[in-house]
Amino acid sequence: MSPVRTTVFHVVRADALLLAVPGVLLVATVGAVPLARRFGAGAGYPLAVLSAGAGGLLLTLLGDALEDPVTVAGEWIPTLGAQWSLRLDALGLVFALVVTFVGAVVLAYSPRYLHGGETDPSRYYGALAGFAAAMTLLVLAGDALVLYVGWEITTLASYLLIASAPAGRRAATRALMLTFVGGLALLAAILLAGARLNTVVLTELTDVDRWAGAPLVPFLALLVVAAAVKSVQVPFHVWLPTAMVAPTPVSAYLHAAAMVTAGLYLLLRFAEPIGAQPIVGAAVAALGAATALFAAAAAVRRRDMKELLAFSTISQLGFMTALVGIGTAEAVTGAVVYFLAHATYKSALFLCAGTYDHAVGSRALPELAGSARRLPLTSGALVLACLSMSGLPPALGYVGKEAALKGALHPADALGFAVLACIVAAQALTVAYSVRLAAAPFRRGARTRAGRGRSPATAEWSMALWPAVLAVATVCLGAVTAKLVPLRLAPLTDAAAEVAAGAAPGSSLALWHGLTPAFLVSLGIFAAGGVLFAVWHLRGWWRLLPDELGSRAVDALGSLLRGCGRPVERVLVSTAVATHLTIVFLVVAVVVWGALLAFPVPVGPAGEAAPRWVVSVLIAGAAVAVAVTKNWLTAFATLAAVGFLVAAWYVLFGAPQLAAVQLVVDGLTVMLALFVLRHLPRRYVDVQWPRRVWAAGVALAGGVTFAGLSLFQRSASLPPASEAYLAEARSSSTGNVVTEVLSHYRALDTLGETAVIAVAAIGVVAVLRARRGRS
């Protein structure tokens, strides 16, 4: 059997477990809709078990990932070097564990949240499980093509989940429009890398030495744009606040722990090449620092809990992006640890917002006053999560912030000092709004509304358990780092940082390193944040801070694009077949001749024999006769002559099989045309001369284009795949490459096309019968 048609797997125990992880999530995706139809909102519980099971499989591979990455690959068309692969290293494992375990918590939380709501469980669970599978595929991808597939599926799943909200269509469209731009930038980067390096394997794309003499800076610039859009960096951040209309569990999962961190994962995966290009690293650091400060200032102004958390998410993602731009091993370690902290505490905070919304009937901070007594578990989880968000010990947020400050405290130039100043100011504002958020349920004096017809006590214990799990986890992970429990987190985060930055951090993680400069800066941050909170009521000083920017600009751009597209729409929606054929011929002519002129290929001697020239002239004459005749019967007869002459041309070129196919198709076409002859007028509709001249010009351009393409193609060298096809055809019984392609390589495609034609025929018959019944 030809190697082109085989898929090769090298499966051992670890590889089988790695394949099982996306397999389990794929089973959850396929089974989500039938489970939702059978159990309604309660389908979240078995789906949560499946997601947690996938995370358990990942934990069994922890030792393998730390020692030597686990890889499984399948070959597809080896002559083109195309393959797909999955690869589990420490960096991918960190992100995959967050995707699976946080996803399990969100799925377990969802049944009580969806109960009695307007969200369709089938659509909700199907999209959420599909997102989990796609995000896992993204972080486990061993090559850029698999990563891109996961990247785009997460975009589609996000659109479906945001649009599932009653007022989410506009927000979903905005998110799709911006993230689509990021997807195009990522695809352009992959194509550029594939063209210059002849590979899309991630381990080779991240090797700086492979880029010697290749355009590394343009490639990294495209990656940064893709990551900035996905991870909501300024000015691409405007889609996230409006996406908060999505159900709160969606915000907790996609917009806090998983989807928006895909851009951070991409930056971490290419942190070593980014660090090797100072201009790119400086741009990433400046972008992240500006985003962190701006979004933190905007979060301070928010009264709605979900809006505050949305801008807080933008700010923290900017903080982590700046750490990747700084590029030191300590800074990258801080980004990895802070990612773990952010995923746990921010998901917990979003789920707390959902619980307050259900129990209290509002997410506005002033209206949460007095709810701590009735919702103690929720309020306790809120305080623990805010503890980690503000960077106080012993939570994991403190450990990540200390590691990050240690990596950022040695600026080399003025830009480095500016980045450090923005980070410190953003962290001080984070402390201020964290304390404000944690104190909101303990304030006095607000009257609250009932939430969705359910008593607060019922909502408390059925919903608050899951944010409490995440809030306790973010504190316990800090205890793990401090070696207060037997587990060890530092080896995993150190290994992930080494994969990203190419060098291991100089010191291990801990809660106490002594009176270091990072600790002193942390004290200053806490003091500044405390002062900001203490003076909160001094005549609204926070109103002087910048607020959300860019939303109106994005909406205006969308309106402009739609306005520019209306003239094109009027052309493309035309019912005239000639209009569509004109567009096709002209576009093909421009593309083909542009390529031929840009990359000229010498035309070899034609060497045509006299009979071929005679047949070619006859074909041209018959084609002209079809165009100029005004009688339908003459036109059909001349068209049949064209088909028969083309078959003769195939015979002269030594392809009798193609000639036979051409004769059958041409004969059937003429016969079908004759059946409708009696419904047509005796003569053509008279057409004005200007239109005739235009049609003749378009036809001439199309004919010359395809003729020229044929001549150039005969002189060009065959690609490797074509050589493989020809070699297989020579060794077959038929000796015909077309027969081999259709019967072996594209047998399933041919079967599918046959099925489509059969379904279309059935539909035509049904329409005709329905029309006959009405008449």
Side-chain angles (χ1 to χ4, degrees):
M1 183 178 292
S2 170
V4 179
R5 290 182 248 141
T6 60
T7 300
V8 181
F9 294 95
H10 306 287
V11 178
V12 294
R13 183 189 65 84
D15 295 348
L17 290 176
L18 178 58
L19 280 173
V21 173
V24 170
L25 295 174
L26 180 61
V27 169
T29 304
V30 174
V33 173
L35 282 174
R37 290 176 179 174
R38 174 65 178 83
F39 300 104
Y45 296 121
L47 294 176
V49 172
L50 289 174
S51 183
L57 291 175
L58 289 169
L59 287 178
T60 63
L61 297 172
L62 176 60
D64 299 280
L66 292 179
E67 295 176 2
D68 188 26
V70 182
T71 303
V72 58
E75 293 184 345
W76 177 67
I77 312 183
T79 52
L80 292 180
Q83 68 170 12
W84 65 266
S85 62
L86 299 178
R87 187 173 187 271
L88 179 67
D89 55 17
L91 181 62
L93 180 60
V94 169
F95 279 80
L97 288 174
V98 168
V99 171
T100 52
F101 283 117
V102 174
V105 172
V106 170
L107 286 167
Y109 174 91
S110 296
R112 297 306 302 170
Y113 181 88
L114 297 181
H115 182 71
E118 300 178 358
T119 304
D120 179 17
S122 299
R123 179 175 179 177
Y124 173 86
Y125 285 123
L128 200 62
F131 170 85
M135 188 68 190
T136 304
L137 184 69
L138 188 157
V139 300
L140 296 182
D143 64 90
L145 292 178
V146 175
L147 185 148
Y148 177 73
V149 170
W151 185 282
E152 289 300 319
I153 296 177
T154 58
T155 297
L156 177 61
S158 175
Y159 171 81
L160 294 175
L161 288 167
I162 298 172
S164 66
R169 186 62 58 85
R170 182 178 180 183
T173 302
R174 175 188 288 184
L176 181 65
M177 183 177 70
L178 287 174
T179 51
F180 177 72
V181 173
L184 287 179
L186 178 60
L187 179 60
I190 294 172
L191 295 177
L192 176 62
R196 294 306 177 97
L197 303 184
N198 198 29
T199 181
V200 291
V201 178
L202 288 178
T203 54
E204 298 183 15
L205 296 185
T206 56
D207 185 2
V208 179
D209 296 334
R210 286 292 304 269
W211 286 92
L216 178 57
V217 172
F219 170 75
L220 293 177
L222 290 170
L223 287 183
V224 170
V225 171
V229 174
K230 202 79 163 182
S231 290
V232 287
Q233 302 299 289
V234 173
F236 306 108
H237 68 285
V238 294
W239 68 264
L240 184 61
T242 56
M244 291 300 108
V245 298
T248 300
V250 172
S251 301
Y253 191 30
L254 275 68
H255 305 143
M259 177 185 170
V260 293
T261 59
L264 175 66
Y265 170 78
L266 187 65
L267 292 177
L268 284 171
R269 180 60 69 184
F270 288 89
E272 187 175 1
I274 290 174
Q277 298 292 326
I279 186 173
V280 179
V284 172
L287 175 66
T291 300
L293 181 58
F294 156 73
V300 169
R301 299 171 58 96
R302 309 264 82 76
R303 291 167 54 90
D304 184 275
M305 189 173 177
K306 283 189 69 173
E307 290 184 4
L308 186 151
L309 294 176
F311 281 101
S312 172
T313 298
I314 298 172
S315 176
Q316 304 306 328
L317 287 171
F319 177 42
M320 291 180 272
T321 299
L323 295 176
V324 177
I326 292 171
T328 62
E330 288 77 10
V332 173
T333 303
V336 173
V337 178
Y338 206 87
F339 159 73
L340 284 172
H342 180 266
T344 50
Y345 74 67
K346 191 57 65 67
S347 300
L349 289 171
F350 271 111
L351 296 183
C352 286
T355 305
Y356 282 119
D357 194 14
H358 269 230
V360 178
S362 175
R363 298 190 307 259
L365 295 184
E367 297 186 16
L368 298 184
S371 59
R373 179 175 298 179
R374 293 176 297 145
L375 303 172
L377 184 58
T378 305
S379 301
L382 180 72
V383 170
L384 289 178
C386 288
L387 177 76
S388 185
M389 182 166 65
S390 61
L392 289 169
L396 188 60
Y398 168 79
V399 178
K401 187 189 67 175
E402 293 296 295
L405 290 176
K406 182 179 178 181
L409 278 178
H410 302 286
D413 49 22
L415 179 61
F417 280 102
V419 169
L420 178 61
C422 289
I423 289 176
V424 171
Q427 287 297 310
L429 290 170
T430 300
V431 172
Y433 67 68
S434 297
V435 177
R436 178 192 178 207
L437 183 60
F442 298 91
R443 298 174 62 87
R444 297 182 180 180
R447 294 193 308 168
T448 57
R449 301 187 298 270
R452 297 199 186 180
R454 189 184 304 122
S455 67
T458 304
E460 164 74 353
W461 297 104
S462 61
M463 298 181 68
L465 172 64
W466 305 110
V469 167
L470 291 172
V472 171
T474 192
V475 176
C476 289
L477 287 174
V480 168
T481 303
K483 304 180 182 179
L484 301 178
V485 294
L487 297 175
R488 295 291 181 266
L489 179 65
L492 177 59
T493 55
D494 289 347
E498 186 173 0
V499 170
S507 60
S508 183
L509 300 175
L511 282 177
W512 176 248
H513 287 289
L515 292 176
T516 62
F519 178 75
L520 296 178
V521 173
S522 287
L523 290 181
I525 289 173
F526 296 144
V531 170
L532 290 176
F533 177 74
V535 299
W536 193 268
H537 300 290
L538 294 182
R539 244 10 200 166
W541 60 268
W542 40 268
R543 298 183 191 275
L544 301 176
L545 297 176
D547 200 0
E548 181 183 3
L549 301 173
S551 295
R552 293 183 179 179
V554 171
D555 291 339
L557 177 61
S559 300
L560 177 62
L561 292 177
R562 287 191 293 271
C564 294
R566 289 192 184 98
V568 179
E569 180 184 2
R570 283 194 292 268
V571 174
L572 295 181
V573 299
S574 172
T575 58
V577 177
T579 301
H580 296 282
L581 291 177
T582 300
I583 294 172
V584 171
F585 285 147
L586 292 180
V587 170
V588 170
V590 171
V591 172
V592 169
W593 285 107
L596 293 177
L597 293 175
F599 306 98
V601 178
V603 180
E608 299 286 359
R612 297 176 185 173
W613 278 109
V614 172
V615 173
S616 300
V617 172
L618 291 176
I619 292 175
V624 173
V626 173
V628 299
T629 185
K630 295 186 177 181
N631 184 277
W632 286 104
L633 185 59
T634 304
F636 287 151
T638 314
L639 187 62
V642 172
F644 293 143
L645 289 170
V646 170
W649 203 70
Y650 288 152
V651 172
L652 293 177
F653 268 94
Q657 297 95 336
L658 288 180
V661 173
Q662 172 68 25
L663 289 173
V664 172
V665 172
D666 188 69
L668 290 176
T669 303
V670 173
M671 290 175 60
L672 290 174
L674 290 175
F675 277 116
V676 300
L677 183 61
R678 63 189 182 91
H679 299 287
L680 297 175
R682 297 182 62 87
R683 298 176 63 85
Y684 284 162
V685 177
D686 191 22
V687 179
Q688 299 297 324
W689 273 106
R691 184 173 178 182
R692 291 185 184 182
V693 174
W694 169 254
V698 172
L700 183 62
V704 172
T705 298
F706 287 106
L709 183 60
S710 301
L711 291 175
F712 280 99
Q713 188 178 13
R714 292 191 60 197
S715 304
S717 59
L718 293 176
S722 299
E723 295 286 0
Y725 290 152
L726 290 174
E728 187 70 17
R730 294 189 190 104
S731 62
S732 66
S733 59
T734 63
N736 186 275
V737 66
V738 176
T739 302
E740 286 298 306
V741 170
L742 292 179
S743 61
H744 291 89
Y745 300 100
R746 294 193 57 200
L748 289 178
D749 293 346
T750 305
L751 178 62
E753 292 164 359
T754 305
V756 170
I757 293 174
V759 171
I762 294 172
V764 170
V765 172
V767 171
L768 291 176
R769 287 185 175 179
R771 184 175 181 181
R772 184 182 303 172
R774 288 195 299 268
S775 60

